[in-house]
Amino acid sequence: MSNSFFVQKTTSYGGRGLFSTKPIPKDTLLHISVSPYASVVYRRYRKEVCAQCFSYAFESNRNCWNIKHEFNGSSSYFCSDICKEDWQSTQNVDGLAAQCVAALDKLEKTMKKRLEIEPETIFLSTSNITMEEIDSAWKKAEGTSLKAVSKELLNELELDTARFLTSAIIRRHLENTYPSSSPTDPHFVTGTWSQVLELQDNELVYSQATPYALSSRILVYLFIRSALWFSVPVLRPYLKTSDTVRALLAREQGNAFGLYEVIGDTEMLGYGVFSSGSYFNHDCSPNIRKERDGRSMKFYAKRDIEPNEELCINYIDIDDVVAANDAT
Ligand SMILES: C[S@@+](CC[C@H](N)C(=O)[O-])C[C@H]1O[C@@H](n2cnc3c(N)ncnc32)[C@H](O)[C@@H]1O
């Protein structure tokens, strides 16, 4: 990740970071992540947040958006006809987004009760879980029958995670089916799956910190596979193994940005992975601020910057326009 303002280098404390290559005046726009590769608007905000530009109805003094796209009893909501058209041509290509939303909703409605996955069928460790145990848990999940999970009820967080992962599965499929031919192609502006794979992989660190979350994540994979396998068969190549889901979950942690309302900056409406925006490290006194502009994340100089300074945002500053990495 480099451009005319900065270059990517290894930092003195490990990992990669971005460093200025020349003097940058305050308020310069350094980088735009045009659109997330994968994203989700939380279910509870479904009617209040535009599925395309993420604008929040309350910021326009409304209770909800009423421009809808309906398919098989499930709806997506938009703030304008333009957003609905943009969504049709970039996200609902071949009707996939609508089919997936409907399939996930349908499975959710047919579920009766939550049956915890037997711990021994998934993994045994409670601390210091190893990569071998994580691999083994996912492999076992791949061999679990679809029928066996069809009665599992997911909680709110898991259902949102399922939608987030599904958006990436659709994007991967579109990327493979319609190779990029122009800068307006959806996967040109969202970045590519290989760029997602280049992001820092936090699977082991996260699993060790929260070993109890592994069975929840596996349950989400089984839920998506069960919901989409027969309803959206073109997506089977990305569901047959857990590779796509697992790779994204490994990178979502520590790389996702919260999608906040723009004006109040208090409500987190969802989250997304913006690959090209994920190389700014954290600093409590950052020289970069980021602002959401519709589907885009924009990165500006917060002050005058000297050459060879590390460019950092604040992951937790509530005064920032959006707080980073708090979706995880
Ligand atoms: C969004 S990524 C930033 C890019 C990352 N350094 C890389 O190599 O891909 C966030 C991760 O970078 C590391 N990081 C960010 N800011 C840091 C800091 N101030 N000190 C140490 N590590 C930091 C942490 O591992 C964090 O989970």
Side-chain angles (χ1 to χ4, degrees):
M1 251 298 290
S2 300
N3 69 14
S4 61
F5 296 107
F6 56 76
V7 66
Q8 182 182 302
K9 289 199 275 192
T10 302
T11 64
S12 57
Y13 48 87
R16 302 158 293 182
L18 302 177
F19 294 80
S20 55
T21 50
K22 59 186 179 189
I24 303 171
K26 185 180 176 194
D27 293 329
T28 302
L29 175 59
L30 281 87
H31 177 66
I32 306 178
S33 275
V34 178
S35 187
Y37 190 90
S39 64
V40 63
V41 167
Y42 291 138
R43 283 155 42 84
R44 65 180 181 277
Y45 290 115
R46 227 179 194 181
K47 297 181 181 175
E48 299 157 19
V49 175
C50 175
Q52 179 63 17
C53 76
F54 306 136
S55 62
Y56 189 32
F58 286 167
E59 292 182 306
S60 302
N61 295 319
R62 299 174 60 112
N63 290 333
C64 62
W65 299 122
N66 56 13
I67 297 173
K68 283 198 246 183
H69 179 280
E70 291 184 275
F71 179 80
N72 274 1
S74 289
S75 302
S76 300
Y77 293 82
F78 305 92
C79 67
S80 68
D81 288 322
I82 292 173
C83 273
K84 185 175 171 181
E85 282 164 28
D86 287 349
W87 177 82
Q88 290 274 31
S89 61
T90 59
Q91 298 190 68
N92 198 33
V93 179
D94 298 341
L96 284 175
Q99 286 173 44
C100 288
V101 168
L104 294 171
D105 281 352
K106 188 175 167 202
L107 181 56
E108 182 195 336
K109 279 176 198 148
T110 61
M111 292 182 308
K112 296 283 182 273
K113 60 177 180 167
R114 183 182 176 93
L115 303 173
E116 293 291 343
I117 298 176
E118 292 295 318
E120 61 270 27
T121 65
I122 298 300
F123 70 96
L124 298 168
S125 271
T126 52
S127 63
N128 288 328
I129 190 167
T130 63
M131 203 38 122
E132 288 69 35
E133 287 175 296
I134 297 171
D135 284 340
S136 151
W138 282 103
K139 281 286 155 237
K140 278 182 190 160
E142 288 169 9
T144 302
S145 79
L146 298 176
K147 209 173 161 203
V149 298
S150 64
K151 291 259 190 301
E152 301 261 357
L153 179 62
L154 277 71
N155 64 32
E156 198 70 15
L157 174 68
E158 290 162 343
L159 290 166
D160 282 328
T161 305
R163 281 165 176 78
F164 168 76
L165 293 167
T166 300
S167 75
I169 289 167
I170 294 172
R171 181 59 56 216
R172 259 204 94 179
H173 170 72
L174 294 177
E175 190 180 328
N176 291 337
T177 310
Y178 302 105
S180 181
S181 55
S182 90
T184 55
D185 282 352
H187 57 271
F188 189 95
V189 297
T190 59
T192 60
W193 179 244
S194 63
Q195 287 167 338
V196 171
L197 294 181
E198 282 169 28
L199 297 176
Q200 184 170 295
D201 179 337
N202 296 309
E203 184 179 46
L204 184 58
V205 172
Y206 178 73
S207 298
Q208 286 177 340
T210 55
Y212 48 85
L214 181 56
S215 57
S216 163
R217 300 177 140 223
I218 288 174
L219 183 60
V220 171
Y221 160 65
L222 294 173
F223 174 80
I224 299 172
R225 195 180 66 178
S226 188
L228 304 184
W229 192 262
F230 294 110
S231 306
V232 198
V234 291
L235 299 181
R236 284 183 190 173
Y238 314 96
L239 297 163
K240 197 169 177 190
T241 71
S242 57
D243 293 358
T244 299
V245 161
R246 200 178 154 187
L248 191 63
L249 287 171
R251 287 155 184 86
E252 165 221 10
Q253 293 297 326
N255 286 297
F257 289 128
L259 300 172
Y260 280 80
E261 58 175 334
V262 172
I263 297 171
D265 189 26
T266 51
E267 301 269 353
M268 188 165 140
L269 311 170
Y271 62 95
V273 166
F274 298 74
S275 314
S276 68
S278 285
Y279 292 93
F280 294 95
N281 283 319
H282 164 80
D283 194 303
C284 296
S285 305
N287 49 14
I288 301 294
R289 68 183 158 84
K290 93 177 147 43
E291 288 181 13
R292 184 170 69 78
D293 180 5
R295 289 184 76 75
S296 302
M297 283 293 176
K298 295 183 172 178
F299 298 85
Y300 294 89
K302 208 172 168 182
R303 57 166 170 75
D304 291 344
I305 297 173
E306 300 294 317
N308 210 26
E309 277 192 58
E310 182 171 4
L311 304 177
C312 292
I313 54 177
N314 189 337
Y315 292 181
I316 49 176
D317 186 352
I318 55 165
D319 292 324
D320 213 347
V321 173
V322 284
N325 292 350
D326 34 17
T328 57

